[in-house]
Amino acid sequence: MTWAREKAGLTKRALASEVDISEQLMGEIEFGWRSATPANLARIAAALNCPLVVLERKRQ
């Protein structure tokens, strides 16, 4: 998710604002500490203009 966000030229704060979640929650989702709800994940994908499957990929 970090890669997609940076490629879109957005900060965590800007993406969180666009998705209408807190910056803290955005950071926790991005770092893998919390899972995004399906609705939030879809909104994040739309904001980043990337396929949902890219964001669903497991970290290695």
Side-chain angles (χ1 to χ4, degrees):
M1 186 176 298
T2 303
W3 175 84
R5 177 180 56 74
E6 290 174 347
K7 187 172 185 268
L10 295 171
T11 63
K12 272 185 259 189
R13 177 176 288 163
L15 180 56
S17 177
E18 195 164 326
V19 177
D20 198 29
I21 61 175
S22 71
E23 185 178 355
Q24 179 179 348
L25 177 57
M26 184 71 247
E28 291 173 357
I29 292 169
E30 191 169 298
F31 285 115
W33 298 333
R34 290 183 61 181
S35 296
T37 64
N40 282 344
L41 196 58
R43 290 198 311 253
I44 292 167
L48 295 176
N49 194 29
C50 74
L52 192 58
V53 69
V54 171
L55 302 180
E56 291 177 326
R57 186 179 63 83
K58 299 283 185 198
R59 287 181 146 195
Q60 300 198 2

